[in-house]
Amino acid sequence: MIQLHGVSKAYQKDSAALNDISLKIEKGEFVFLTGPSGAGKSTLLKLLFGAEKPNRGQIIINGQNLTRLAVSRISLLRRRMGIVFQDFKLLNRRTIFENVAFPLEIQGRRRFEISKKVYQTLQQVGLEHKIHRHPLELSGGEQQRVAIARALVVDPLVLLADEPTGNLDPEVTLEIMELFKLANARGSTVLLATHDREMLRRFPRRVLTLDGGRLVGDQTP
Ligand SMILES: Nc1ncnc2c1ncn2[C@@H]1O[C@H](COP(=O)(O)OP(=O)(O)O)[C@@H](O)[C@H]1O
Ligand SMILES: [Mg+2]
């Protein structure tokens, strides 16, 4: 599902954020990406999401070579990917419904279909009763559940998450992790960046470790 061949990224000359990364993630895998702050975790996720371009190497997602795709093709591929951030990145002036509906509107889905899918997805994350609220009326954990619903509403091939529980307390972290497991069980390939060692212990999964922009570990329990 995801392949990197010799991928390097430098934001500035002489300081590589990622250095010659090669890896392969199969369809349906759940993989953690870990390493200290500055290791390159967020950069790797940005490259996969097409938000940044590599300086060198190839990135292949679902059989499509990102580095060769036209911009319009990249945005089509991106529509089948979900991404979740530490700080939620919800539109605070829009309702929960509008936030989750947004990716479907970009896809040009019909209104009736959008309403149904948004409701179903909010049910999956246990927030259908908050559908007409605004993000800032919700707790942090609830806001992250909305952000996950927004990622899941397109039935993503690939679900990327960048420190999604970094702002949440341990109890809420477990609830959020259950949602990622559920998404994975429903078919999304999941790549989740975290530096939380406790999480890696609690959820034994394949772990890719970055350090100083290099892939220094790839362990499967
Ligand atoms: N937009 C940017 N401009 C310049 N340097 C950046 C930018 N984003 C990240 N970096 C640098 O790239 C390296 C990797 O950062 P990042 O991918 O955010 O690591 P992590 O997510 O593991 O903390 C760091 O040295 C960071 O300072
Ligand atoms: Mg980061």
Side-chain angles (χ1 to χ4, degrees):
M1 177 58 67
I2 298 173
Q3 281 174 269
L4 272 70
H5 299 288
V7 169
S8 296
K9 171 71 183 176
Y11 294 97
Q12 289 138 355
K13 265 192 184 165
D14 307 325
S15 72
L18 289 176
N19 205 329
D20 195 21
I21 305 289
S22 297
L23 59 87
K24 189 171 184 176
I25 296 173
E26 304 291 346
K27 185 172 164 54
E29 272 196 275
F30 188 124
V31 180
F32 284 115
L33 182 62
T34 194
S37 177
K41 304 180 295 296
S42 297
T43 299
L44 181 54
L45 295 181
K46 284 178 193 165
L47 293 178
L48 292 173
F49 198 62
E52 292 281 353
K53 283 191 174 294
N55 300 96
R56 231 177 301 136
Q58 309 292 319
I59 300 173
I60 296 155
I61 297 179
N62 199 32
Q64 294 182 283
N65 191 329
L66 262 194
T67 30
R68 296 211 190 115
L69 284 182
V71 175
S72 59
R73 282 285 180 160
I74 291 181
S75 54
L76 274 182
L77 182 59
R78 202 185 273 165
R79 286 180 196 176
R80 300 298 316 280
M81 298 171 75
I83 190 159
V84 175
F85 300 95
Q86 178 169 358
D87 60 354
F88 325 135
K89 296 199 193 300
L90 298 172
L91 301 169
N92 290 331
R93 305 187 135 197
R94 303 288 179 87
T95 64
I96 301 311
F97 176 89
E98 289 167 334
N99 271 276
V100 178
F102 193 66
L104 296 177
E105 278 162 6
I106 290 175
Q107 290 186 350
R109 304 279 198 97
R110 297 165 69 182
R111 187 168 295 210
F112 166 76
E113 200 190 348
I114 292 177
S115 300
K116 192 168 136 193
K117 187 70 183 173
V118 169
Y119 190 79
Q120 282 174 350
T121 311
L122 282 171
Q123 265 182 326
Q124 275 175 41
V125 305
L127 283 181
E128 71 279 12
H129 56 295
K130 304 273 183 174
I131 196 163
H132 298 303
R133 298 299 189 92
H134 286 78
L136 298 181
E137 298 176 83
L138 274 53
S139 70
E142 289 171 334
Q143 290 183 56
Q144 192 59 302
R145 277 148 69 189
V146 173
I148 293 171
R150 180 180 58 187
L152 294 183
V153 78
V154 298
D155 296 319
L157 296 167
V158 174
L159 178 58
L160 305 172
D162 197 354
E163 310 270 2
T165 60
N167 283 343
L168 305 174
D169 62 45
E171 209 171 299
V172 178
T173 292
L174 292 182
E175 290 171 21
I176 294 295
M177 287 304 295
E178 289 304 319
L179 294 180
F180 284 107
K181 277 168 68 178
L182 183 71
N184 182 237
R186 294 171 62 102
S188 297
T189 303
V190 177
L191 181 59
L192 191 155
T194 181
H195 61 255
D196 180 353
R197 290 176 175 277
E198 174 63 17
M199 187 187 293
L200 303 182
R201 273 202 299 126
R202 266 181 188 265
F203 297 90
R205 294 286 185 286
R206 181 177 172 198
V207 179
L208 299 171
T209 307
L210 290 174
D211 197 355
R214 291 186 181 274
L215 187 62
V216 297
D218 181 353
Q219 284 173 307
T220 305

